[in-house]
Amino acid sequence: MKYIYLTGLLLATFIQTAWAQQELTLHNMSSIFQSAHTNPAMQHKHKVIISLASSYQINAKNTGFTYNQLLAQVETDETGQRVLDLGQLADQLKLNGKDYVHTSASLDVFGLSFKAGKNRFSLNVTEHMQARLGYSDAILNLAVNGNVPGSTINLDGYTFNGTHYREIGLGYNRKILEDDKLIVGGRVKSLFGMSNVRTVRSDVGLTTAEENDLYEITANADILVRTSGIEMLEEGETDYITNMDNKGLGVDLGASYRYSDKWTFSASVINLGYISWKKGVTNYESKGEYVFSGIDNDELFNGNFDFDATEVLDSITSIFEFDETEGKYTTSLPTQVYLSGFYQLAHKTTASATLYSDFVGGFRKGMSLGVTQTVGRWFQASATYTMHARSYNNLGLGIAVGTGFQLYAVTDNIISLMQPGNAKLVNMRAGFNFLF
């Protein structure tokens, strides 16, 4: 089994820290306890809210292309077989070198929120699993066009980071200032890392020399992959699930200010923090270079050349031989920022605009416009339009129904649920809460 993980690490040499998921429709759903995940200053109307393993969230996005765009480049050849036209695919895709595939899932194992006067307290236990694979068009261009003599193809645009961690959060917010215009809140989160794969370096290059040098090829690699918790999976699920040695700390901060009877503004910073990985750590490092000097034309035509394919393959393989070491390391949380303005169109109708950004080695921005309708304490619905991750056709919808027992479902792209083949962004949160 260990060799399977090592094989996976070879694929994961194209890796870097980067993972976060936005929930922009949820951000408008103040009647749902889980909206406090986007701003700890959320003040819910119900005095007590309880969630028991009942909030499920999934998120997936691909910034570079959709499934149907890929399928459109599949054609039938003269033998009747379906093949992917790589040349046409390279012409159609508009990759910018910073594209990525992201997936995440979370489960609120337990949630509690209660109000005491102007104060609100909360507790949550949440499992988080996230992964992101970054990619460029380097390999595709190499397959289609080959490597131009005198040039180097860099394959370090392929990155990945994956993690699973547990969060135990204690939240608090309070109404302050005259007429309770300002609400400030925060959440302190104790974190426990279950497993992680992270590439610190992933420099891989292929250089082809000029004709005078017989198109000599130089391959080199400088790779460092850090992992934690992977081998514990082999030892048993109990050892993995009960592991609490990889500790971390996180903080969420938020505020909401009622400027007038019509206007309210809010801001939040989510996931300021880190996880220190100490348990079950294995680091894989590889540095190497191989030069294939080519074959002399005279030897080639005379049949006198000596070419040992096995020796060449062994030499190339040796470039990616990993030295295993141990040593703790630290990863940061995917920091997210929400800036919002809300305008009351009618007594229970609110329009909103939200600017969103996550920081994962650089800021990635998004924007959402929405309208939210509330009916009493038993119904709330929100419709949004979102631009994010180079995706511009995202129509979101959120619905929460019930008092005493609340059912809810929220998505940033309802079209993707009906036509997943055309979607770059798919997300969904659904569950139920007990309200008192």
Side-chain angles (χ1 to χ4, degrees), residues 33-149:
F33 161 61
Q34 287 73 19
S35 62
H37 289 325
T38 69
N39 188 343
M42 288 282 187
Q43 277 262 345
H44 311 292
K45 292 182 179 180
H46 294 85
K47 289 185 177 180
V48 180
I49 306 172
I50 299 175
S51 175
L52 296 173
S54 57
S55 179
Y56 304 89
Q57 176 268 334
I58 58 172
N59 188 80
K61 55 189 169 187
N62 184 353
T63 64
F65 56 90
T66 67
Y67 173 76
N68 283 349
Q69 285 177 322
L70 187 66
L71 193 64
Q73 314 310 320
V74 177
E75 299 179 348
T76 303
D77 64 13
E78 60 275 5
T79 65
Q81 292 184 325
R82 301 277 287 171
V83 295
L84 178 63
D85 189 329
L86 294 179
Q88 187 169 297
L89 181 64
D91 292 336
Q92 293 294 323
L93 295 186
K94 300 186 185 327
L95 306 181
N96 63 8
K98 298 181 180 180
D99 289 291
Y100 61 90
V101 176
H102 166 87
T103 60
S104 67
S106 66
L107 167 65
D108 283 331
V109 179
F110 176 76
L112 170 66
S113 176
F114 63 91
K115 183 166 59 174
K118 295 183 179 182
N119 309 293
R120 179 165 284 275
F121 302 87
S122 66
L123 167 67
N124 70 282
V125 180
T126 306
E127 296 285 330
H128 294 277
M129 290 167 282
Q130 304 177 345
R132 181 177 294 199
L133 171 68
Y135 61 91
S136 71
D137 58 359
I139 291 181
L140 181 59
N141 286 336
L142 178 63
V144 175
N145 304 315
N147 200 14
V148 178

Side-chain angles (χ1 to χ4, degrees), residues 93-277:
L93 295 186
K94 300 186 185 327
L95 306 181
N96 63 8
K98 298 181 180 180
D99 289 291
Y100 61 90
V101 176
H102 166 87
T103 60
S104 67
S106 66
L107 167 65
D108 283 331
V109 179
F110 176 76
L112 170 66
S113 176
F114 63 91
K115 183 166 59 174
K118 295 183 179 182
N119 309 293
R120 179 165 284 275
F121 302 87
S122 66
L123 167 67
N124 70 282
V125 180
T126 306
E127 296 285 330
H128 294 277
M129 290 167 282
Q130 304 177 345
R132 181 177 294 199
L133 171 68
Y135 61 91
S136 71
D137 58 359
I139 291 181
L140 181 59
N141 286 336
L142 178 63
V144 175
N145 304 315
N147 200 14
V148 178
S151 68
T152 299
I153 287 185
N154 294 314
L155 303 180
D156 49 3
Y158 293 82
T159 63
F160 173 87
N161 186 62
T163 194
H164 171 204
Y165 71 95
R166 181 173 300 131
E167 167 191 320
I168 301 177
L170 292 173
Y172 171 78
N173 64 41
R174 178 179 173 83
K175 297 177 180 179
I176 60 175
L177 296 185
E178 183 181 357
D179 298 327
D180 300 332
K181 286 187 174 182
L182 178 64
I183 305 173
V184 294
R187 182 184 299 105
V188 178
K189 303 184 289 189
S190 183
L191 309 177
F192 303 93
M194 313 306 291
S195 59
N196 178 259
V197 179
R198 174 178 180 259
T199 293
V200 180
R201 299 191 305 272
S202 59
D203 300 325
V204 180
L206 185 67
T207 302
T208 303
E210 301 286 356
E211 181 180 3
N212 293 337
D213 295 316
L214 301 178
Y215 302 116
E216 179 182 274
I217 297 175
T218 301
N220 58 72
D222 183 6
I223 301 165
L224 175 58
V225 180
R226 299 189 186 277
T227 72
S228 176
I230 303 300
E231 293 186 354
M232 280 191 292
L233 286 170
E234 296 180 318
E235 299 171 1
E237 294 180 0
T238 301
D239 292 335
Y240 178 81
I241 295 297
T242 59
N243 170 37
M244 300 183 70
D245 293 324
N246 300 320
K247 296 181 176 63
L249 182 66
V251 177
D252 299 341
L253 300 172
S256 177
Y257 179 70
R258 180 163 48 84
Y259 177 75
S260 67
D261 292 339
K262 293 289 188 180
W263 285 99
T264 300
F265 300 94
S266 72
S268 60
V269 181
I270 308 300
N271 281 339
L272 292 169
Y274 69 93
I275 299 175
S276 181
W277 303 90

Side-chain angles (χ1 to χ4, degrees), residues 31 46 377-380 400-407 433 435:
S31 67
H46 294 85
R377 294 162 61 91
W378 68 274
F379 179 84
Q380 188 176 57
V401 180
T403 180
F405 181 77
Q406 180 191 62
L407 290 170
N433 295 315
L435 311 177

